[in-house]
Amino acid sequence: MKFSPLVDELIQTLKCLPGVGPKSAQRMAFQLLERDRKAGQSLSQALSKAMSDVGHCQSCRTFTEEVHCPICASHKRGLSQVICVVETPADVLAIEAGGHFSGRYFVLLGHLSPLDGVGPDELGLALLEEHLASGEVAELILATNPTVEGDATAHFIADIAKSHNVIVSRIAHGVPVGGELEYVDSTTLALSFNGRLPL
Amino acid sequence: MKFSPLVDELIQTLKCLPGVGPKSAQRMAFQLLERDRKAGQSLSQALSKAMSDVGHCQSCRTFTEEVHCPICASHKRGLSQVICVVETPADVLAIEAGGHFSGRYFVLLGHLSPLDGVGPDELGLALLEEHLASGEVAELILATNPTVEGDATAHFIADIAKSHNVIVSRIAHGVPVGGELEYVDSTTLALSFNGRLPL
Ligand SMILES: [Zn+2]
Ligand SMILES: [Zn+2]
């Protein structure tokens, strides 16, 4: 015997969230129903608005509901001649938390992975090349993850940068190999920025 | 530097879910935005409908958007003369998963806790007493948790049942089947000694 249809549906749909299994979904549904219906309604509205309105920054590809994200739209940073290339928006947040990088970003939203059908098009490399060809980029810092795919992606992008005579570097492997960039502490991240090597 | 307002709001509101901290909220938001906007929209709708339409069963108090929950509305079980009293809707699910109980339930949605302002009114005991007074209940099985509050609640309800000449029992507490005696806590062991049955 299950719950009523609406309660069942709420539990089922909560399971679409990463890391949420049947037991957690049930606990979440009951907590919202019992104690926090207002929070549940706020979440519903935030989800609906974000799912329908959030697109990608036309300059760096991170998530935003505007044409340009706050960083690209800022006077200080939007025209910076240094671009840091990362795999995900969470990586941007990790680097921003360190506070030592003042350039702009380019977010690949993934890494080269031919077996999964992720090639240069999926990573927006044509847009990145436009930036490189514009003459407005002095240095490209590659901060993809230190994994096989992240390294391959970095080398692929390095070749494009070199063909446009743009200095290209890769953040130093102070980031533990096999680890994920967004979980690294800000000091290690700072070291890895300082220790970047030409490619 | 944060994300765009809609993305920030989504991350903030996801943190209202139990067990979801800032990192998980961020991971959930990005996963939905990147890979599963349809699931995000479904979750939004399920939340909105459940928060506004789900109330309590007028017979057993569990969550339902109907007047009566599926169990109370069923011909087989809704008129059963045996009522099992539990603290939460999740307890109903746990007992239903066992499949050995065929009566109906009464869901307290808590336990007596005077310091938190939870008294007989908050637990719907007037409604339970109506059931007991109707002459349609032969036995009341108390399945509140084996905690100080759960025990106090069980004894309080047992007194009401006795005043209506309804047989009242409490589910047995002891060493779980398949569990190892040496790993069972001393309170549970004490309960299992007190509840010993002749062989
Ligand atoms: Zn941007
Ligand atoms: Zn019911």
Side-chain angles (χ1 to χ4, degrees):
Chain A
M1 180 69 67
K2 293 176 183 179
F3 297 105
S4 289
L6 287 187
V7 180
D8 270 339
E9 200 191 329
L10 177 57
I11 294 172
Q12 289 306 317
T13 51
L14 280 165
K15 287 195 288 188
C16 76
L17 297 171
V20 177
K23 275 273 170 199
S24 318
Q26 202 179 295
R27 200 159 48 93
M28 288 172 171
F30 291 148
Q31 165 130 337
L32 291 175
L33 285 168
E34 247 173 273
R35 263 166 266 168
D36 219 347
R37 298 209 178 200
K38 224 170 143 186
Q41 288 289 12
S42 302
L43 176 55
S44 165
Q45 279 161 32
L47 271 167
S48 169
K49 276 189 288 178
M51 295 301 117
S52 68
D53 294 356
V54 171
H56 297 285
C57 172
Q58 286 191 10
S59 180
C60 77
R61 288 178 33 105
T62 198
F63 293 122
T64 180
E65 67 272 22
E66 310 286 349
V67 177
H68 292 106
C69 73
I71 292 178
C72 291
S74 84
H75 277 295
K76 252 200 206 159
R77 305 184 59 178
L79 297 173
S80 167
Q81 295 204 312
V82 183
I83 294 182
C84 176
V85 178
V86 295
E87 295 188 21
T88 71
D91 296 335
V92 172
L93 199 74
I95 294 171
E96 288 298 296
H100 42 76
F101 178 67
S102 58
R104 50 188 165 130
Y105 294 91
F106 189 83
V107 182
L108 300 171
L109 298 173
H111 46 236
L112 289 177
S113 181
L115 291 179
D116 302 314
V118 181
D121 286 354
E122 284 69 29
L123 303 183
L125 295 190
L127 176 59
L128 179 59
E129 197 158 3
E130 272 179 43
H131 289 311
L132 296 171
S134 70
E136 289 163 0
V137 181
E139 184 180 359
L140 200 65
I141 301 175
L142 301 173
T144 52
N145 285 325
T147 56
V148 175
E149 297 88 354
D151 283 338
T153 307
H155 282 103
F156 189 91
I157 295 174
D159 288 342
I160 300 176
K162 283 172 191 164
S163 76
H164 289 281
N165 296 314
V166 171
I167 296 169
V168 58
S169 60
R170 178 127 168 76
I171 60 167
H173 283 187
V175 180
V177 175
E180 293 202 88
L181 200 134
E182 67 168 298
Y183 297 111
V184 170
D185 67 280
S186 59
T187 313
T188 308
L189 266 176
L191 287 174
S192 68
F193 264 75
N194 292 336
R196 67 187 186 273
L197 300 168
L199 280 182
Chain B
M1 179 69 68
K2 293 178 185 179
F3 298 104
S4 289
L6 287 189
V7 181
D8 270 338
E9 201 192 329
L10 177 57
I11 295 172
Q12 289 306 316
T13 51
L14 279 165
K15 287 196 287 188
C16 76
L17 298 171
V20 176
K23 276 275 171 194
S24 317
Q26 201 178 294
R27 200 159 48 93
M28 287 171 172
F30 291 149
Q31 164 129 337
L32 290 175
L33 285 168
E34 249 172 273
R35 262 165 268 166
D36 220 345
R37 298 210 178 201
K38 224 171 145 188
Q41 288 289 15
S42 301
L43 175 55
S44 166
Q45 281 163 29
L47 270 167
S48 170
K49 276 187 288 176
M51 294 303 117
S52 69
D53 294 355
V54 171
H56 297 286
C57 173
Q58 287 191 9
S59 178
C60 77
R61 289 177 33 104
T62 199
F63 293 122
T64 180
E65 67 272 23
E66 309 287 349
V67 176
H68 292 106
C69 73
I71 292 177
C72 291
S74 83
H75 276 294
K76 253 202 208 159
R77 304 184 59 179
L79 296 175
S80 168
Q81 294 205 311
V82 183
I83 295 183
C84 176
V85 177
V86 295
E87 295 189 19
T88 70
D91 297 334
V92 172
L93 202 71
I95 295 172
E96 287 299 296
H100 41 75
F101 178 67
S102 57
R104 49 189 168 131
Y105 295 91
F106 189 84
V107 182
L108 300 170
L109 298 172
H111 46 236
L112 288 177
S113 182
L115 291 178
D116 303 313
V118 181
D121 285 355
E122 284 68 29
L123 303 184
L125 295 191
L127 176 59
L128 179 59
E129 197 158 0
E130 271 179 44
H131 289 310
L132 296 171
S134 70
E136 289 164 0
V137 181
E139 183 180 359
L140 199 65
I141 300 175
L142 301 173
T144 52
N145 287 325
T147 58
V148 175
E149 297 88 353
D151 283 338
T153 307
H155 282 103
F156 190 90
I157 295 173
D159 287 342
I160 300 175
K162 283 171 192 163
S163 77
H164 289 280
N165 296 314
V166 170
I167 295 168
V168 59
S169 60
R170 179 129 169 76
I171 58 166
H173 295 109
V175 180
V177 175
E180 295 202 76
L181 202 125
E182 66 175 298
Y183 298 116
V184 171
D185 64 276
S186 57
T187 314
T188 305
L189 266 179
L191 287 174
S192 71
F193 268 74
N194 291 339
R196 68 188 183 275
L197 298 169
L199 278 180

